[in-house]
Amino acid sequence: IIVPPKEAIIMDEYGQHLHGMIGPYNEGFPLALACEGEGGDPSPAVRWWRDAELLDDSYYITPQGFARNELLLSSLRRTDLLTKLTCQVSNSNLTEPVTSSVIIDMNLKPTDVRITSMYRPISVERFTEIVCVASGARPPAQISWWLDGEKLTSRITESTVRDENLTVSSLLFGPTKHDNQRNLSCRGDNPQVPDSVLEDTWILDIHFPPQLSVKVDKESAIQEGDSINMTCVVQANPPIVELEWLKDSQSLGPTSKKSTRSRILHISNVTSEHKGRYQCVATNSEGKSVSEPVLLKVQYVPRCVSVRSSIYGVGQTESVSVACEVDASPSTVSFTWALDGAKILSTEQYSSNGSHSVATISPRSPKDYGLLMCWASNAVGRQREPCTFRIIPAGPPEEPRNCLISNRTTHCLVLECEMGHDGGLTQLFQLEIFGTDSDKFLSNVTAHSAPKFTVCSLPSRESLVLIVYSLNNKGRSKQITMHVSSTESNEAEEEDSGALEALVGVLIGALAVLILLAATVTLLVCLQRKKRSKKGRAYPDEEKSDPQLSKECKEPCVASSYGPDIIPEKSFYRERSSSLINVIEVEQGINPSSAQSDPSSRKYREYDAFSYPEGPGIHATPKKLSMLQTEEESKETDLQSIVETPLISSIHPTLHQWPNSKKETTIRMSTPV
């Protein structure tokens, strides 16, 4: 009788029963499993299968009577992930075998770690994003950033995609110039799997402006005559394209390409003129930089500083102080004084303070005059050329020379001369001016620093005598006499000035006359208006005016209550025309029988008795008939006597024969077209 086995039991190396998903087991590590068959008669066979592949069919019977098969996978591979292993137990082909299965879960190493950002130079102190991606790890890898073995912990962001076993890390990197040529690494690993680290590395190319310094090849004191080299030490990426040297912030000129490469400034035969602050300036694509200044000190023997005076005039009973000042490096100096190169002055005859010394000279005999010399010495050596001063007996100064009048106007002049020797003493310059015509003393001017004189308030059109001389405590020089006569140009200038003043006076007078005339005309107009107003009140029919006769006054005119009647137009014009003819006929002795019945003829008869005032007036009728006293008075007063009449063609020609009893008046007839 065949008894089938009851169960297939899978165990790990520690005897733990396994089923379903087992692990995770690390990639590359061994895996040991055992399977035992329980029960069955005869004893069953135990086999291991991977899917349909037979892995192991060797088994043995344990002392407890179980059939056992031990499976050993020496190194798990990535392909073993989620592999199904089946243990099969059977003792007959007549019955179904008993099976048990497990699925392998694994921890995988990352297969790739790579910086995906494009490799390029990075400018110093400018933040740049760098991205790294790790793939293939299970679970997804962890990424870390390293700079020359030092882990970076700031400005890092990380994300994962589990389905694809991807990890993405981003680093915001702000380098310094010291990071140039350092290694930046991205590391990806699975912490569960030992030795699973992969990394990608950049050698950083950091661009930065030039970093400069100046080095002098000679450390000891530099003296005149030495030769030195100054080197501009440059740290720059990319390399510099331009180099320039400065001395006391002033450019020493453009440098050649060879000098740009060597970066050396060579100075041969150094002099005191080379002392100062030196800098180098370099430029690359990142910018322009200037080094810190280096002070170049040059030691040299003393030399004279320019003096105020080199000639001193001294009397035999007088004393004079002579100052000697030198320039030296180092500035600690000692002085020696000598007269005519042989007579050395004692230390009691002079005093010293730093680079300044003062000697007191008191001549008592002719031997005490001559050439006074001053030497100074320092650590470098003795002064090569002494400072020299001439001590001479004091006397009057020399007269001024080459005197010239540089500017002359009607009332002023400017005189300039060259000074002569001052006689060893401080001198003054004197100018005296006399008038030749009046024989009077006009002016006296003193100049202190130079013989230059400016004199004004001089009489015009008068010749002058100028006397110039110098003087000091010992007396005065010979005098220089100059004669200056009046010129036609000065007279013309004065005449032009008088003509201009006369023209201004004429213009002011004309303006005053115009203002007075305007005031007079305004007064006359006002008086005329008052007369016209009084005359208007004498009209007998002023209150009988017909309403039909009122007419809007569109032009400047007299108010209707004081002026003559305003006669309307329309057909009434023709009636007025015939009435006017009748009135004129009456004036000429014609019997106007028909005119007596016309009511309008009364108004025109009033003109027969109308007497014109002395001034012109304004009278309105249907059309305008201008009556002006004279053409000149019209222009001066701008006043008219206006009579509005019918059309000119309807006025009788006898109108020109106005009665002689009235004031003779010029009549202008004006009718609109």
Side-chain angles (χ1 to χ4, degrees):
I1 299 172
I2 298 174
V3 179
K6 294 181 181 180
E7 184 181 7
I9 301 173
I10 299 176
M11 297 174 288
D12 62 12
E13 56 184 328
Y14 302 107
Q16 298 291 329
H17 290 202
L18 304 176
H19 56 83
M21 185 74 69
I22 61 173
Y25 300 98
N26 292 334
E27 177 185 0
F29 280 65
L31 175 61
L33 297 174
C35 183
E36 292 182 352
E38 182 181 355
D41 187 24
S43 296
V46 180
R47 301 179 179 86
W48 283 99
W49 296 81
R50 179 190 295 163
D51 295 331
E53 177 188 1
L54 178 63
L55 292 179
D56 188 2
D57 59 356
S58 62
Y59 64 94
Y60 66 94
I61 302 300
T62 65
Q64 292 81 13
F66 298 109
R68 183 185 180 93
N69 188 336
E70 295 179 353
L71 176 66
L72 178 62
L73 300 177
S74 61
S75 178
L76 290 176
R77 297 172 298 175
R78 299 182 66 84
T79 56
D80 294 331
L81 175 64
L82 302 179
T83 296
K84 184 179 181 180
L85 298 179
T86 303
C87 174
Q88 186 182 71
V89 179
S90 66
N91 59 358
S92 172
N93 293 331
L94 300 177
T95 60
E96 287 292 330
V98 178
T99 62
S100 179
S101 299
V102 294
I103 298 175
I104 302 174
D105 188 13
M106 297 180 62
N107 292 325
L108 301 180
K109 300 177 181 180
T111 57
D112 185 49
V113 175
R114 183 171 303 174
I115 299 175
T116 58
S117 298
M118 180 175 17
Y119 181 79
R120 64 183 184 276
I122 303 174
S123 294
V124 68
E125 297 180 354
R126 296 180 186 176
F127 285 96
T128 302
E129 185 180 26
I130 304 175
V131 178
C132 180
V133 177
S135 60
R138 181 184 172 87
Q142 294 182 359
I143 294 178
S144 58
W145 292 90
W146 301 78
L147 184 61
D148 272 355
E150 180 182 353
K151 188 175 182 179
L152 304 179
T153 58
S154 61
R155 296 188 175 90
I156 298 174
T157 58
E158 187 174 297
S159 61
T160 59
V161 183
R162 284 190 171 273
D163 293 342
E164 299 180 5
N165 288 346
L166 290 179
T167 303
V168 180
S169 180
S170 175
L171 170 66
L172 194 61
F173 185 57
T176 66
K177 66 175 183 177
H178 304 292
D179 295 327
N180 189 41
Q181 299 303 307
R182 298 180 72 183
N183 294 322
L184 178 66
S185 300
C186 169
R187 295 181 184 178
D189 71 316
N190 188 339
Q192 306 298 327
V193 182
D195 300 327
S196 63
V197 175
L198 293 180
E199 70 177 20
D200 190 16
T201 301
W202 272 7
I203 299 177
L204 293 175
D205 184 13
I206 307 300
H207 283 191
F208 55 91
Q211 304 295 312
L212 311 173
S213 62
V214 176
K215 301 294 183 184
V216 182
D217 62 348
K218 191 173 182 179
E219 297 181 357
S220 60
I222 301 171
Q223 297 182 359
E224 284 187 318
D226 292 344
S227 295
I228 61 169
N229 290 323
M230 284 186 285
T231 303
C232 184
V233 180
V234 179
Q235 291 181 340
N237 187 33
I240 62 172
V241 295
E242 183 179 344
L243 183 97
E244 183 181 11
W245 285 93
L246 305 180
K247 177 181 177 290
D248 296 330
S249 301
Q250 300 296 321
S251 174
L252 296 179
T255 57
S256 63
K257 292 184 178 180
K258 180 179 179 181
S259 298
T260 302
R261 291 191 299 269
S262 65
R263 304 167 187 175
I264 295 177
L265 176 64
H266 176 72
I267 302 177
S268 59
N269 192 20
V270 174
T271 67
S272 61
E273 299 297 326
H274 292 116
K275 66 180 180 180
R277 297 180 179 273
Y278 286 82
Q279 296 170 282
C280 61
V281 182
T283 305
N284 67 359
S285 60
E286 291 296 311
K288 185 176 183 179
S289 301
V290 182
S291 70
E292 290 294 326
V294 170
L295 179 61
L296 181 64
K297 297 181 180 180
V298 179
Q299 294 186 349
Y300 49 91
V301 297
R303 65 197 62 187
C304 287
V305 177
S306 59
V307 295
R308 182 181 61 85
S309 175
S310 60
I311 301 178
Y312 292 84
V314 191
Q316 290 190 3
T317 61
E318 299 174 341
S319 297
V320 65
S321 295
V322 181
C324 177
E325 186 177 1
V326 297
D327 174 33
S329 178
S331 58
T332 302
V333 297
S334 60
F335 286 91
T336 302
W337 288 83
L339 185 62
D340 284 339
K343 183 180 179 180
I344 305 299
L345 301 186
S346 64
T347 55
E348 290 80 9
Q349 292 180 275
Y350 64 90
S351 61
S352 301
N353 183 10
S355 60
H356 188 81
S357 182
V358 178
T360 302
I361 305 300
S362 302
R364 294 296 179 263
S365 67
K367 295 181 179 180
D368 295 331
Y369 294 96
L371 187 64
L372 180 66
M373 292 176 285
C374 165
W375 287 274
S377 302
N378 63 1
V380 180
R382 185 179 181 182
Q383 184 173 342
R384 298 185 179 92
E385 296 292 335
C387 305
T388 58
F389 311 90
R390 186 170 297 278
I391 308 300
I392 63 174
E398 294 181 351
E399 69 275 9
R401 302 185 296 269
N402 301 327
C403 293
L404 178 66
I405 296 177
S406 59
N407 191 11
R408 173 73 191 278
T409 61
T410 304
H411 302 288
C412 297
L413 64 82
V414 177
L415 176 65
E416 296 184 10
C417 304
E418 296 179 5
M419 68 175 69
H421 182 256
D422 59 6
L425 298 173
T426 302
Q427 62 177 338
L428 300 176
F429 308 95
Q430 199 74 21
L431 170 64
E432 297 176 359
I433 303 178
F434 297 86
T436 57
D437 298 336
S438 60
D439 197 20
K440 291 182 179 179
F441 177 78
L442 300 178
S443 182
N444 183 17
V445 183
T446 301
H448 294 270
S449 59
K452 181 176 181 180
F453 309 90
T454 300
V455 187
C456 289
S457 301
L458 296 175
S460 60
R461 300 187 181 182
E462 183 171 358
S463 299
L464 307 174
V465 174
L466 310 181
I467 299 176
V468 186
Y469 57 89
S470 304
L471 67 158
N472 63 13
N473 290 338
K474 297 298 181 180
R476 56 184 286 179
S477 69
K478 297 178 181 179
Q479 64 184 26
I480 303 297
T481 302
M482 301 179 63
H483 295 270
V484 180
S485 59
S486 61
T487 60
E488 294 180 0
S489 60
N490 294 333
E491 295 176 357
E493 180 181 353
E494 184 175 356
E495 292 176 0
D496 292 342
S497 176
L500 179 60
E501 293 176 357
L503 179 60
V504 172
V506 169
L507 291 177
I508 293 175
L511 181 60
V513 170
L514 290 176
I515 293 174
L516 181 61
L517 181 60
T520 303
V521 171
T522 303
L523 181 60
L524 291 176
V525 170
C526 294
L527 293 175
Q528 185 64 34
R529 287 182 178 178
K530 290 181 179 179
K531 292 180 180 180
R532 194 183 315 121
S533 298
K534 294 178 180 179
K535 180 64 68 177
R537 295 190 188 96
Y539 290 162
D541 294 335
E542 63 179 298
E543 294 183 356
K544 298 179 181 181
S545 60
D546 192 281
Q548 295 180 346
L549 301 182
S550 66
K551 180 180 179 182
E552 182 181 0
C553 186
K554 296 183 180 179
E555 299 182 10
C557 58
V558 178
S560 61
S561 61
Y562 299 106
D565 296 330
I566 299 176
I567 303 172
E569 296 180 348
K570 301 182 182 178
S571 61
F572 187 62
Y573 294 163
R574 290 189 293 274
E575 297 173 1
R576 287 293 192 186
S577 298
S578 60
S579 300
L580 179 61
I581 295 173
N582 293 334
V583 172
I584 295 174
E585 288 175 352
V586 170
E587 297 292 346
Q588 301 299 326
I590 302 174
N591 182 19
S593 58
S594 61
Q596 300 296 330
S597 61
D598 187 356
S600 64
S601 62
R602 177 177 55 81
K603 294 184 176 292
Y604 279 95
R605 285 195 299 273
E606 293 172 350
Y607 287 98
D608 184 34
F610 187 87
S611 62
Y612 288 88
E614 291 297 324
I618 300 177
H619 310 281
T621 57
K623 297 297 178 181
K624 293 179 179 178
L625 176 61
S626 299
M627 302 173 65
L628 307 177
Q629 291 180 355
T630 62
E631 290 296 328
E632 284 87 272
E633 293 178 358
S634 173
K635 293 179 183 178
E636 292 178 359
T637 63
D638 196 26
L639 299 174
Q640 296 179 340
S641 296
I642 302 174
V643 180
E644 293 209 0
T645 68
L647 297 175
I648 292 177
S649 59
S650 64
I651 299 176
H652 197 277
T654 59
L655 183 61
H656 295 284
Q657 302 175 5
W658 201 265
N660 294 330
S661 60
K662 311 298 182 190
K663 185 177 181 179
E664 184 176 352
T665 305
T666 301
I667 299 176
R668 180 185 301 160
M669 292 174 289
S670 174
T671 302
V673 179

